[in-house]
């Protein structure tokens, strides 16, 4: 068994790890396996709902399957799902799958009089589509026959068939999953599912992967156009009546005006007028950065072929000051989306793919305005999220405290899974480096005269982790890696101790990041400024199974709070990009940071010969480690390895040189 597959549970808290499923763990599992979970819900839902409602309901059930609130959910008794190679997925996936099954089974129950309906039995509020009917692509005659056969089964039998055929679970595991989902007679459901073996001459389970049952790959058709026209006329008449009535109610008296003495919006206010005047937009000289004491966004020159288009700048400033209801506004966490305090600085104005884009800076925030180009093909994309349709977009990103290390580039737009950057004036060369290919060379990336790069793959919009392209910028002899995490400002990647992180430059750092890259989606769209990965320990594994590396990855944010920390266990693997195992995670903690450069974490690990061990490692400040609970053991130094059993639950802590207790990361 590959070593990176052998980690099954963390032992970093005083509570049993399997007894609680964290919201973040469930969210990560939902995002990673979203298409599979939606397919499961679609297959279990009753076909009598119709394909359009089944599609929307399947998506709604999966999106409502996270634990409520920010506390951990009870995950005891959840059987971990199994891959075909026998290794276990995390309990987060099992928890979310169980929630999806329970809701899909509830949706198949008939409504009863005088009984309060379950939420799953009602049409979903979100997602909702107006004017279109959505349904999966049509399959062949075998898929149609299977769908008819499934419609004749009970909801529990359909669930059993899906768990056996799609998830590959054995019958005892299917019974446990169905029981946890509220099925009382799992044996009958299994018997009905077992009777459905073939459709014609084809194995029925092989058809479950067909596009016929994929609610993430859809076709669209219009609804009843004549009925829709009648409803639209009635709605217009009702709106006209409301407007007339509102005007009549507002005529008498002078009581309206809840803002008191405030002037009407931007009426003859000098600061507001200055912020709306494109002629007063600040423009920095092209060479100002060469002599400035600062090296950040404030010294970026005004660039772009449309920098002189006053009409475009006027629209951008007006939308920033008072965005209408049709404007799609996004902002990184704790970034105020309000109007500028005065004339902002122009960074760029030009066409990017099928959108006209304006980048502005007011000292605190970078703001991106994008409007579609009439007749353009391919979306201009949102800088603050995934690809978008043809709508005006306004994106805010906090940028106070920026320096040369994090102000090397800005996202201009995303389109068709690609991203374009605007690079800083001091950047001399750009290239693309795939984090998952540590031994590969950087690929040259061309820029135009304004500093706009050619499109490269954006990991922020990718559905899988087959590659992770980063932007490598070179300036003053320094190479820096920047990655797109779904926001305006790409995050800087570093390696090394928290007190002195350095840019990822040598082979060892790239090898560590190759196994860390696929964990970056956990900090996507979180206002991340930089991510540092620190190898704090190496441990010789028992039974001569090689040497494992322990890393602590910390994501710093622009707002200062909301930092996220992951402790990784990287067992030896023949694959350079084999994902590391997450031994522990925490949020808003000083651990692994400059203020508290120490960490302690542990895992339950299985050797190649099938024996289990509790492994733990701490940073160099620790002088002893101890585990208690399911197993009792102590070790001098900062490494621990002790024989154990599968499923052992233990609490871990250590002591530093002063004898102070240090708890495991949690």
């Amino acid at each position: 068994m590959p070593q990176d597959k052998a980690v099954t549970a963390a032992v970093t808290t005083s509570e049993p790890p399997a007894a609680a499923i964290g919201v973040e763990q469930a969210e990560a599992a939902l995002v990673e396996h979203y298409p599979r979970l939606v397919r499961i819900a679609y297959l279990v839902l009753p076909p009598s709902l119709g394909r359009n409602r089944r599609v929307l309901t399947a998506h709604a059930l999966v999106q409502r399957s996270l634990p409520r609130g920010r506390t951990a959910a009870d995950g005891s008794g959840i059987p971990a799902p199994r891959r075909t190679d026998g290794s276990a997925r995390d309990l987060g996936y099992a928890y979310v799958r169980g929630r999806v099954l329970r809701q899909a089974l509830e949706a198949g129950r008939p409504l009863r009089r005088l009984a309060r309906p379950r939420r799953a039995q009602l049409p979903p509020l979100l997602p909702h589509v107006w004017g279109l009917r959505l349904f999966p692509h049509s399959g062949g005659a075998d898929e149609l026959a299977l769908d008819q056969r499934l419609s004749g089964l009970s909801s529990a039998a359909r669930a059993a068939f899906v768990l056996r055929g799609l998830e590959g679970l054995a019958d005892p595991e299917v019974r446990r999953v169905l029981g946890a989902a509220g099925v009382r007679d799992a044996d009958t459901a299994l018997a009905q599912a077992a009777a459905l073996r073939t459709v014609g001459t084809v194995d029925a389970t092989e058809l479950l992967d067909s596009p016929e049952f994929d609610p993430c790959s859809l076709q669209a058709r219009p609804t009843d156009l004549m009925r829709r026209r009648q409803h639209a006329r009635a709605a217009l008449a009702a709106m006209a009546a409301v407007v007339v009535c509102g005007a009549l109610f507002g005529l008498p008296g002078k009581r309206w005006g809840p803002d008191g003495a405030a002037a009407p919006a931007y009426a003859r206010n000098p600061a507001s007028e200055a912020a709306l005047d494109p002629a007063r937009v600040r423009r920095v000289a092209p060479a100002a950065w060469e002599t400035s004491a600062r090296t950040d966004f404030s010294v970026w020159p005004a660039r772009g072929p449309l920098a002189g288009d006053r009409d475009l700048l006027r629209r951008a400033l007006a939308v920033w000051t008072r965005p209408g209801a049709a404007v799609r506004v996004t902002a990184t966490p704790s970034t105020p989306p309000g109007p500028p305090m005065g004339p902002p600085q122009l960074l760029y104005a030009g066409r990017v793919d099928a959108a006209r884009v304006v980048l502005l800076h007011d000292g605190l925030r970078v703001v991106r305005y994008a409007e579609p180009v009439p007749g353009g093909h391919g979306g201009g994309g949102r800088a603050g999220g995934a690809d978008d349709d043809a709508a005006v977009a306004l994106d805010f990103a906090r940028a106070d405290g920026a320096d040369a290390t994090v102000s090397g580039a800005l996202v201009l737009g995303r389109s068709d899974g690609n991203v374009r950057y605007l690079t800083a004036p001091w950047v001399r060369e750009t290239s693309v480096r795939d984090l998952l290919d540590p031994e590969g060379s950087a690929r040259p990336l061309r820029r135009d005269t304004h500093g706009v790069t050619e499109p490269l793959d954006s990991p922020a919009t990718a559905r899988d982790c087959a590659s992770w392209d980063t932007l490598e910028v070179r300036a003053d002899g320094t190479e820096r890696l920047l990655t797109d995490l779904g926001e305006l400002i790409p995050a800087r990647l570093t390696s090394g101790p928290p007190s002195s992180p350095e840019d990822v430059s040598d082979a060892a750092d790239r090898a560590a990041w190759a196994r860390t890259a696929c964990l970056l989606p956990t900090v996507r769209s979180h206002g991340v400024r930089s991510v540092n990965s620190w190898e704090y320990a190496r441990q010789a594994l028992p039974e001569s199974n090689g040497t494992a590396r322990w890393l602590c990855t910390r994501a710093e944010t622009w707002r200062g709070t909301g930092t996220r920390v992951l402790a990784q266990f990287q067992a030896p693997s023949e694959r350079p990009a084999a994902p590391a195992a997450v031994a522990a995670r925490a949020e808003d903690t000083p651990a692994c940071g400059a203020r508290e450069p120490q960490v302690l974490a542990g895992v339950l690990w299985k050797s190649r010969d099938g024996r289990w061990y509790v492994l733990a490692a701490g940073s160099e400040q620790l002088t002893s480690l101890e585990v208690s609970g399911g197993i009792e053991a102590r070790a001098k130094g900062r490494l621990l390895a002790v024989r154990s059993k599968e499923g052992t639950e233990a609490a871990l802590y250590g002591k530093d040189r002063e004898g102070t207790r240090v708890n495991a990361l949690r």
Side-chain angles (χ1 to χ4, degrees):
M1 175 181 288
Q3 298 300 313
D4 54 299
K5 298 288 188 181
V7 178
T8 62
V11 290
T12 60
T13 67
S14 57
E15 299 177 359
I21 304 299
V23 176
E24 294 178 357
Q25 181 183 1
E27 181 183 13
L30 187 150
V31 172
E32 181 182 358
H33 304 289
Y34 185 85
R36 188 177 191 89
L37 291 166
V38 177
R39 185 186 289 261
I40 292 173
Y42 182 84
L43 286 165
V44 176
L45 285 170
S48 59
L49 294 177
R51 293 201 292 173
N52 179 71
R53 181 171 168 185
R54 281 174 73 191
V55 166
L56 297 178
T57 302
H59 284 273
L61 297 186
V62 175
Q63 294 172 17
R64 295 202 302 259
S65 295
L66 291 178
R68 295 183 178 179
R70 301 297 300 173
T71 58
D74 184 14
S76 58
I78 297 177
R82 296 280 171 178
R83 300 184 192 269
T84 56
D85 60 1
S87 60
R89 290 196 190 121
D90 62 275
L91 287 175
Y93 174 76
Y95 173 83
V96 175
R97 184 186 62 193
R99 295 260 298 184
V100 170
L101 284 174
R102 178 179 289 274
Q103 294 179 86
L105 292 170
E106 290 176 350
R109 296 172 185 168
L111 294 172
R112 299 179 179 178
R113 289 186 177 181
L114 305 179
R116 182 178 179 181
R118 295 278 188 172
R119 185 178 181 184
Q121 295 175 283
L122 302 175
L125 296 177
L126 290 175
H128 198 87
V129 179
W130 291 90
L132 290 175
R133 298 185 61 82
L134 304 177
F135 48 91
H137 293 277
S138 299
D142 293 331
E143 286 85 352
L144 179 60
L146 176 60
D147 196 34
Q148 293 174 345
R149 296 278 298 275
L150 289 174
S151 65
L153 299 179
S154 64
S155 296
R158 286 194 298 271
F161 181 75
V162 171
L163 291 174
R164 296 180 68 194
L166 190 62
E167 292 291 87
L169 299 185
D171 286 357
E173 292 180 291
V174 173
R175 289 189 182 92
R176 289 197 296 272
V177 174
L178 292 179
V183 176
R184 296 181 179 179
D185 191 359
D187 290 332
T188 300
L190 273 169
Q192 294 178 6
L196 182 53
R197 298 180 180 274
T198 60
V199 176
T201 59
V202 181
D203 186 352
T205 59
E206 295 179 359
L207 299 175
L208 293 177
D209 288 320
S210 169
E212 173 79 16
F213 308 111
D214 183 8
C216 289
S217 178
L218 302 171
Q219 299 182 88
R221 295 291 185 273
T223 55
D224 189 332
L225 299 179
M226 294 300 297
R227 180 179 297 179
R228 195 167 72 191
R229 181 179 299 175
Q230 295 172 356
H231 290 174
R233 290 172 179 171
L236 286 174
M239 290 177 60
V242 170
V243 170
V244 172
C245 293
L248 293 175
F249 280 119
L251 285 176
K254 298 182 180 180
R255 293 185 294 272
W256 276 16
D259 293 333
Y266 310 109
R268 311 306 299 172
N269 180 279
S272 300
E273 288 183 339
L276 287 169
D277 188 356
R280 303 183 67 174
V281 168
R282 292 186 295 112
R283 300 170 185 261
V284 176
W289 65 272
E290 298 179 3
T291 56
S292 174
R294 301 177 61 175
T295 311
D296 55 18
F297 297 116
S298 66
V299 294
W300 276 34
R303 291 175 286 177
L306 299 180
D309 188 338
R310 290 199 174 188
D311 290 337
L312 173 62
L313 296 181
R314 181 177 291 106
R315 292 194 298 273
L317 293 170
V319 170
W320 180 1
T321 305
R322 50 181 193 278
V327 178
R328 301 190 176 217
V329 181
T330 66
T332 56
S334 298
T335 302
M341 295 176 288
Q345 173 192 354
L346 176 63
L347 303 181
Y348 179 86
R351 178 166 176 170
V352 181
D353 296 324
R356 283 185 288 262
V357 175
V358 179
L359 284 180
L360 300 163
H361 178 241
D362 68 349
L364 172 67
R365 302 161 296 177
V366 173
V367 180
R368 175 185 180 270
Y369 167 84
E371 63 180 26
V373 176
H377 298 285
R382 294 282 296 282
D387 294 359
D388 199 8
D389 52 10
V392 174
L394 190 66
D395 303 306
F396 294 85
R398 190 165 175 170
D400 53 318
D403 55 23
T405 62
V406 292
S407 58
L410 289 172
V411 171
L412 272 182
R414 300 184 184 89
S415 177
D416 300 326
N418 298 321
V419 60
R420 290 183 188 266
Y421 294 98
L422 175 67
T423 56
W426 54 83
V427 171
R428 300 301 183 190
E429 188 178 351
T430 56
S431 56
V432 181
R433 188 177 289 278
D434 185 359
L435 284 184
L436 300 187
D437 185 13
E439 298 178 358
S441 302
R443 309 189 304 272
L445 182 65
R446 290 184 296 181
R447 298 179 293 165
D448 63 15
T449 56
H450 301 284
V452 179
T453 68
E454 290 184 329
L456 64 148
D457 290 341
S458 171
T461 60
R463 296 183 178 180
D464 52 26
C465 194
S467 64
W468 196 284
D469 283 352
T470 58
L471 174 68
E472 187 173 69
V473 297
R474 296 176 182 86
D476 299 328
T478 302
E479 298 178 353
R480 292 191 177 94
L481 284 185
L482 306 175
T483 187
D484 182 13
L485 292 181
E487 296 168 334
L488 265 176
I489 306 176
R492 179 194 179 198
L493 303 182
T494 59
S495 294
S499 57
S500 56
E502 298 180 352
D503 290 292
V504 181
S505 57
D506 58 27
D509 292 342
R510 285 194 285 268
W513 266 108
R515 304 188 63 181
T516 304
C518 291
L519 300 177
L520 286 174
T522 60
V523 296
R524 184 181 292 164
S525 300
H526 192 61
V528 173
R529 175 189 177 108
S530 62
V531 185
N532 183 59
S533 195
W534 166 41
E535 181 182 316
Y536 67 88
R538 290 196 178 193
Q539 183 175 24
L541 296 176
E543 302 180 20
S544 301
N545 276 207
T547 301
R549 298 194 293 182
W550 293 84
L551 287 87
C552 193
T553 302
R554 180 181 176 91
E556 299 284 358
T557 65
W558 286 95
R559 62 191 183 277
T561 59
T563 56
R564 292 186 177 180
V565 179
L566 299 175
Q568 302 179 49
F569 176 76
Q570 294 186 357
S573 175
E574 297 178 355
R575 295 184 296 142
V582 177
R585 66 181 72 214
E587 188 168 347
D588 274 328
T589 175
C592 289
R595 297 180 59 184
E596 190 176 304
Q598 64 181 21
V599 64
L600 171 62
V603 295
L604 185 62
W605 172 81
K606 184 179 181 182
S607 71
R608 284 192 292 260
D609 292 337
R611 285 181 280 272
W612 291 90
Y613 291 84
V614 170
L615 304 179
S619 52
E620 60 183 6
Q621 297 89 343
L622 275 67
T623 58
S624 65
L625 304 181
E626 182 173 344
V627 290
S628 59
I631 187 173
E632 305 285 339
R634 296 181 180 180
K636 291 184 177 181
R638 58 193 184 108
L639 301 175
L640 179 144
V642 58
R643 280 286 302 273
S644 182
K645 297 180 180 179
E646 181 179 4
T648 297
E649 300 169 357
L652 169 66
Y653 69 91
K655 291 186 178 180
D656 60 16
R657 299 183 182 93
E658 287 75 27
T660 303
R661 174 172 172 146
V662 177
N663 292 321
L665 183 69
R666 54 178 299 178

